[in-house]
Amino acid sequence: MNLSNLSFFYGESVYVDAMGTIIFRQEGHKFDGSLLHDFDLIILIVHEQEDKPLIVEHTMAGELRCQVLHVNLGSLRRWLVAGEKGDLVKCFMEGEIVHDPYARLAQLRQDFIEFRQPLRDRKMLYEFSHFLWMYVEAKRYIQEGFYTDAYHSVLNSLKHWAKIELIEQKVLPEKAVWEQVRGLNTAIHKLYEELTQSTETLAQRVELVMLACEFSVMSKMAECTVLLLNILRSRPKPWSVEELVHHPELDMISNKLPLVLRTLVNRSLVRETAVWSEGASYGNQGIRYSAE
């Protein structure tokens, strides 16, 4: 079966609920331990349905071995923002779009290539939330005297900080982040070298970098959380944390959102309000969040 026939088969005649299909041909492939790489064709079928799980099918098209992957659009967007599922993202970015009646996949691909808004703000918030998570984890380890564990948490937080600096320069972070920032002459690479190569004690290195994190990235908090702040400003009624956790623009940081919110409150960037709910007893006021 040639590719044009395959394009028709997977693009139009089957899976009528699919919003688009991409076919990625692997030239001269050989098995290297990655399941995706043991097939001649990877067929990525994107569905609108948000609760549709990742479904895998193995098929033959003539003499070609095919792996058919059904993904939902929300998951695909999350992988693009988070930099996860690199093999699947490669298929999405480099494969042939064979079915895209409303050009939504083509638009998403172009937005990613050009690193347009709102993708940059989503990516910035994602990286900041992960930076903050690792930063707080490192502080806890330091308080308990576990400097080796704190070192690894700080190293991870620096990687997210490096990605933030790349995003500020409208550069899409890639896997080899430290190679990307090496030539930018930014403070982050110097801190990375200080943490990993300095002759000072482990505790001294960790605490020095933690201070730098506190004074540098924390000062960029408003810039890093523009997406969240704009959502909080989007209506006059304050938001509950439950509403925010389930907001479609914030789903990629839902488990870290409470920490981000409380940090923004402590920095006076977000205002909290106690609200009485009907039938609530004393001490059971709900907290709502808003931003000016």
Side-chain angles (χ1 to χ4, degrees):
M1 182 180 291
N2 62 39
L3 191 56
S4 60
N5 291 337
L6 201 65
S7 299
F8 173 78
F9 184 74
Y10 281 104
E12 299 182 9
S13 65
V14 185
Y15 312 118
V16 293
D17 64 328
M19 60 174 289
T21 303
I22 295 174
I23 297 180
F24 178 76
R25 180 189 289 274
Q26 302 197 106
E27 303 292 346
H29 76 280
K30 62 179 180 178
F31 182 68
D32 63 356
S34 173
L35 186 58
L36 285 182
H37 295 164
D38 195 34
F39 292 86
D40 300 291
L41 298 173
I42 307 299
I43 300 165
L44 192 63
I45 301 176
V46 183
H47 298 263
E48 187 83 51
Q49 186 180 348
E50 286 298 314
D51 59 352
K52 190 176 186 67
L54 176 65
I55 298 174
V56 181
E57 300 174 11
H58 291 172
T59 65
M60 292 290 295
E63 296 182 353
L64 298 177
R65 291 178 176 82
C66 305
Q67 178 157 229
V68 184
L69 302 168
H70 297 261
V71 303
N72 67 66
L73 180 61
S75 294
L76 180 58
R77 283 176 169 157
R78 283 193 295 274
W79 298 336
L80 289 170
V81 170
E84 298 174 349
K85 305 281 188 182
D87 286 339
L88 285 178
V89 170
K90 178 181 175 69
C91 294
F92 170 72
M93 295 301 298
E94 299 180 12
E96 178 185 349
I97 299 176
V98 298
H99 179 61
D100 189 18
Y102 301 105
R104 294 177 66 189
L105 295 184
Q107 185 64 57
L108 180 59
R109 179 189 281 183
Q110 196 61 31
D111 288 345
F112 190 72
I113 291 172
E114 298 181 7
F115 203 30
R116 297 172 178 167
Q117 294 289 23
L119 178 60
R120 285 205 306 273
D121 283 345
R122 286 173 63 87
K123 182 70 172 169
M124 182 75 87
L125 180 59
Y126 177 87
E127 297 301 341
F128 177 76
S129 68
H130 283 70
F131 159 79
L132 186 61
W133 187 272
M134 300 309 301
Y135 168 80
V136 171
E137 183 177 83
K139 286 187 70 173
R140 290 172 180 160
Y141 281 137
I142 290 173
Q143 290 170 357
E144 296 174 15
F146 302 145
Y147 279 93
T148 301
D149 295 288
Y151 171 86
H152 288 286
S153 296
V154 171
L155 189 59
N156 282 326
S157 70
L158 280 184
K159 188 171 185 178
H160 291 293
W161 181 356
K163 291 181 180 181
I164 288 171
E165 291 205 345
L166 289 170
I167 295 166
E168 286 179 325
Q169 300 192 36
K170 300 182 180 180
V171 176
L172 179 66
E174 299 173 356
K175 284 187 177 181
V177 171
W178 294 116
E179 288 301 315
Q180 281 186 286
V181 300
R182 185 187 298 275
L184 296 181
N185 194 30
T186 61
I188 184 61
H189 197 271
K190 295 175 182 177
L191 280 174
Y192 172 76
E193 292 179 337
E194 179 70 27
L195 180 65
T196 59
Q197 301 174 20
S198 172
T199 57
E200 294 179 315
T201 67
L202 182 64
Q204 289 173 328
R205 284 181 278 152
V206 167
E207 290 179 353
L208 173 64
V209 173
M210 288 293 289
L211 282 174
C213 290
E214 176 72 26
F215 290 108
S216 295
V217 173
M218 293 304 181
S219 65
K220 301 178 182 178
M221 193 175 298
E223 177 186 344
C224 292
T225 58
V226 164
L227 176 61
L228 174 57
L229 294 174
N230 285 342
I231 290 172
L232 291 171
R233 298 183 186 115
S234 66
R235 72 182 196 191
K237 180 182 176 182
W239 296 73
S240 70
V241 67
E242 181 73 10
E243 290 177 304
L244 292 169
V245 164
H246 291 97
H247 193 287
E249 292 293 313
L250 302 174
D251 58 352
M252 74 285 189
I253 64 160
S254 57
N255 62 331
K256 295 176 175 59
L257 185 57
L259 173 62
V260 175
L261 272 175
R262 298 311 305 168
T263 304
L264 291 173
V265 169
N266 290 334
R267 299 279 171 159
S268 300
L269 292 171
V270 168
R271 182 172 59 252
E272 66 175 9
T273 307
V275 178
W276 286 100
S277 58
E278 186 176 351
S281 59
Y282 179 77
N284 286 336
Q285 294 170 287
I287 297 177
R288 299 293 183 268
Y289 298 95
S290 60
E292 296 181 353

